[in-house]
Amino acid sequence: MNAPTRVTAPASAAVGSAGRGNRLRRSTLLRHLAVALVAALLLVAASYGLEPFRNFQLATVAAYLCATAGLTVLTGLNGQLSLGHGALMATGAYTVALTQGRFLDSGVTSGWLLVVSLLASVLVTVAVGAVIGLAAARLRGPYLAGLTLAVAVVVPAVAITFDGVFGGEQGLSVPVEPPPLALGPYFPYERWQAWLAGAAMLLTMLLLANLVRSRFGRALRAVRDDEVAARLAGIHVGRTQVLAFVVSAGCAGLGGGLLAVLAQSVSPGAFSLTLSLFLLMAIVIGGLGSLAGAVWGAVLLVALPDLTHSVTELFTLSPSVAQRWEGNLPLAIFGVTLIVVMIAAPGGIHGLLTRAGRLLARRRRP
Amino acid sequence: MQRFARRGLAVATSLALLTSVAACGDDGGSGGGGAPVPGVTDTEIVVGTHMPLTGPAAAGYSSIAPATKAYFDYVNANGGVHGRKITYKIMDDGYNPANTQQVVRQLVLQDKVFAILNGLGTPTHTGVLDFLKSNRVPDLFVASGSRSWDQPEKYPFTFGYNTDYTVEGKILATYIKANHAGQKVCFLGQDDDFGRDSLVGVEKILGAGTVAAKQTYVTSNTNVAPQIGAFKAAGCQVVVLATVPGFTALSIGTAARLAFKPQWVVSNVGADYNTLAKSLGEAAPLLEGVVGTNYMPMNNDTANPWIQLFTKVNQAHNGGAPFDGNTVYGMSVGYLFVQALLAAGKDLTRDSLVAAVEKGGFQGPGLAPLRFSRTDHSGYGGARMSRVTAGVQGYFGPAYETDEVDGPVREYAVAPATPPVNGIPTVS
């Protein structure tokens, strides 16, 4: 990663009156920081305005966003398909569960231990991602899909096979400290969860956004568009691909770790092959190739099951029909949405919005 | 300029989305003008549950909650409990602990249910115990025989219902000891507390180390050929199954394919004949001679007044759904919950409900004693053996009761209560 070559003023000077100043427009880092700051303020405001359950969902969106953003970098920007990101999330989740459990056993208690556990989950997943990435860099198209698919199937199976460590299908519980007392004795737990996941998500998004706009990001896209041309331009294709996998895996690990913290438990059922496929579908529907698309994807992942449940509640169905609907409807809706989006708006939700924005801008011009 | 328009639009859309989400965030709940108790108004009690309506354990279990709901509808049609109608929200978790986390949070935080009733599954419900405790939600009559529900100190609001797996294991083993002495006994259990607790009970009676081969299965893998093959190789003559119905059927079907015919002795939660026969289809005759346990009246015992009542309710409020052991189970849970609500009195709070259950003294359709007290949250404390003869599942021998530790297995001779005339309990 290369630091911006331009000299940057302190952020405080840039944000505020100079919001449209030249410096802000020219410095990627400052612009991203400003966006992150606004997003953070919005998150905090939302966490005060929302019901506990909505806060929990907001936190879940943030956790998923870490993973979908990472997957967007890999698939959207670098052109490597991964059907195994659910398994990488599982790796992160189990790491958090095991480290938190170990801390509890050894009698260490501190709010900061969670940060340590989450960092551990990123590191472990990065290591796993590096191994998969090394293999993935040598594969193309369906072979790559096959390899990552195998990962998606193997990781939950490992958790079940070594049930002594991973607790089998019942999984493990994740001991999590209550919110810090400094926030007051009755601080809602779900709001705390939203803050926690939101902070991790914003940090991830900030780093990814900078990465995408950097030289490395350009290399990613170059490799996606034309490997030969990229080689001629002096880009090390293999290394770029492995790095893309590593970055993306680290994000997935963090996302999985956050999910484990939110649910206070992990089980292989949470990270089935379906999740891996859902992640991929989510970023395609959200809009492949831009981090904003990943945001829509993460929102979809949380909103759809909820939405379908509301839909089934609208109709008074016979019990047997309702039963059949209940579990399968989200899958069906996801699939249909994917097909419709691919036909009608290949750019996904974000593509649609950008187009609408362009139309607006054009209309405003005399 | 373009970029700002785009970004502005994006931010505006997100904000619109957020506000709409916030706006529809207040549609669930009681809406009873600031009712002090979640899920309770003057006219309604909202209760929730999590059930496997889809997935590996849906076979049989998916008809439990509709049966409970049907009984509630019957009570509602007759004026409800203290003038309140019971609304039963059934959430599908697919027997996946991760989904259970989600749907139970939705029930408690969004729908603001008064209590969770009969949440099904050992691995699924284990994961939400702490969440329910920290939100002080009554967690009544869990549909599982795990011993985890009976921890009044640790989980003061959680109560079991099923005969616990260790008690049942002791009763199964007592039958084996009396009828299959000297034969090779093997054990297949689900790879969680369900299988483990059951094995503890079996070994308490037969003695540790007497079980020749022990195997486990996971619900995500529907191939039990390796386990059954191991039993065949070990020369098992009696196989104890601590399995959900789908895996009881799988085990029996797989064994038939391997030409392996032991005496099957099955845990109550996986022994309902109608469910198994449906799963096995053409191969249903394989169930001949299968031994199981139960603590509810048999669904085919048309002379039993409880069965007559539940059949009537099933016709009127459950669309005449197939009437099997799960239907009887679901309705009996509904009956007990109505008893608890009545005992909690007109001034219904979460504490008064828990206190009413702890007071105990409930009489219902069960053949075994219901053991609720301040120090015991376990539920039914015994069972009776059943056998499939000529395609009909029926009881034989006496009902037994025992505890989950080293107490003896005793006969339980108290006859079950008769149902009230209109089928709705009164305040005792």
Side-chain angles (χ1 to χ4, degrees), chain A:
Chain A
M1 271 186 271
N2 54 345
T5 46
R6 232 168 267 103
V7 182
T8 53
S12 53
V15 181
S17 64
R20 289 186 167 191
N22 266 348
R23 187 177 292 135
L24 189 59
R25 198 157 320 163
R26 277 208 307 262
S27 160
T28 311
L29 178 65
L30 282 186
R31 200 174 54 239
H32 288 165
L33 273 174
V35 172
L37 200 69
V38 172
L41 289 174
L42 275 176
L43 259 174
V44 171
S47 74
Y48 274 95
L50 293 174
E51 295 235 313
F53 181 66
R54 297 297 170 192
N55 264 332
F56 175 73
Q57 284 190 309
L58 188 66
T60 315
V61 169
Y64 275 129
L65 181 49
C66 293
T68 52
L71 190 56
T72 296
V73 168
L74 182 71
T75 306
L77 299 177
N78 191 232
Q80 295 191 76
L81 186 70
S82 169
L83 298 176
H85 259 54
L88 292 168
M89 287 181 89
T91 310
Y94 273 97
T95 309
V96 165
L98 290 171
T99 47
Q100 287 288 94
R102 191 58 44 82
F103 284 140
L104 187 74
D105 292 343
S106 57
V108 204
T109 50
S110 150
W112 292 105
L113 291 179
L114 192 58
V115 179
V116 177
S117 298
L118 286 171
L119 278 177
S121 76
V122 174
L123 288 176
V124 170
T125 324
V126 159
V128 173
V131 174
I132 302 169
L134 281 172
R138 294 158 189 247
L139 296 169
R140 299 286 174 272
Y143 306 103
L144 176 60
L147 170 81
T148 49
L149 188 67
V151 174
V153 176
V154 162
V155 168
V158 165
I160 288 168
T161 310
F162 298 101
D163 54 352
V165 182
F166 301 112
E169 276 200 334
Q170 204 165 304
L172 302 166
S173 69
V174 181
V176 182
E177 291 277 305
L181 273 175
L183 294 169
Y186 299 112
F187 193 80
Y189 188 66
E190 282 74 24
R191 187 182 302 155
W192 170 241
Q193 289 183 317
W195 285 16
L196 207 72
M201 177 272 288
L202 284 175
L203 186 67
T204 310
M205 290 302 276
L206 183 69
L207 293 174
L208 281 181
N210 287 334
L211 188 71
V212 166
R213 299 293 298 256
S214 70
R215 177 177 171 172
F216 177 69
R218 285 192 297 279
L220 283 181
R221 284 188 286 269
V223 169
R224 174 195 65 190
D225 292 337
D226 192 334
E227 278 187 32
V228 178
R231 263 204 192 89
L232 285 171
I235 295 170
H236 193 305
V237 171
R239 193 184 301 153
T240 310
Q241 287 181 323
V242 175
L243 271 176
F245 220 106
V246 166
V247 167
S248 161
C251 297
L254 179 63
L258 287 172
L259 279 187
V261 170
L262 295 183
Q264 294 172 42
S265 75
V266 280
S267 58
F271 303 100
S272 59
L273 177 60
T274 320
L275 173 66
S276 297
L277 297 178
F278 266 12
L279 286 174
L280 199 62
M281 280 203 269
I283 63 165
V284 171
I285 295 174
L288 211 54
S290 75
L291 290 176
V295 178
W296 295 115
V299 171
L300 272 180
L301 278 173
V302 175
L304 258 184
D306 205 23
L307 207 69
T308 44
H309 185 74
S310 316
V311 169
T312 30
E313 277 197 337
L314 286 181
F315 303 102
T316 37
L317 299 160
S318 73
S320 62
V321 177
Q323 271 170 41
R324 275 201 292 275
W325 270 43
E326 186 71 54
N328 302 320
L329 201 62
L331 282 166
I333 290 190
F334 233 124
V336 170
T337 318
L338 185 68
I339 294 167
V340 169
V341 164
M342 282 294 90
I343 292 171
I349 297 175
H350 185 65
L352 273 178
L353 289 176
T354 339
R355 238 187 297 167
R358 259 193 221 129
L359 278 177
L360 276 178
R362 209 171 297 155
R363 212 163 287 163
R364 246 184 278 158
R365 248 177 254 145

Side-chain angles (χ1 to χ4, degrees), chain B residues 314-378:
Chain B
N314 194 51
Q315 290 300 336
H317 297 281
N318 203 15
F323 190 82
D324 60 20
N326 296 300
T327 321
V328 178
Y329 174 91
M331 295 211 184
S332 68
V333 169
Y335 185 86
L336 179 61
F337 185 65
V338 171
Q339 282 179 304
L341 285 177
L342 280 166
K346 214 170 162 47
D347 183 17
L348 183 63
T349 65
R350 285 177 163 175
D351 289 338
S352 74
L353 179 70
V354 169
V357 180
E358 278 192 334
K359 201 165 145 248
F362 300 112
Q363 296 293 323
L367 317 178
L370 258 177
R371 306 181 298 193
F372 291 124
S373 70
R374 195 173 285 278
T375 53
D376 192 336
H377 284 198
S378 66

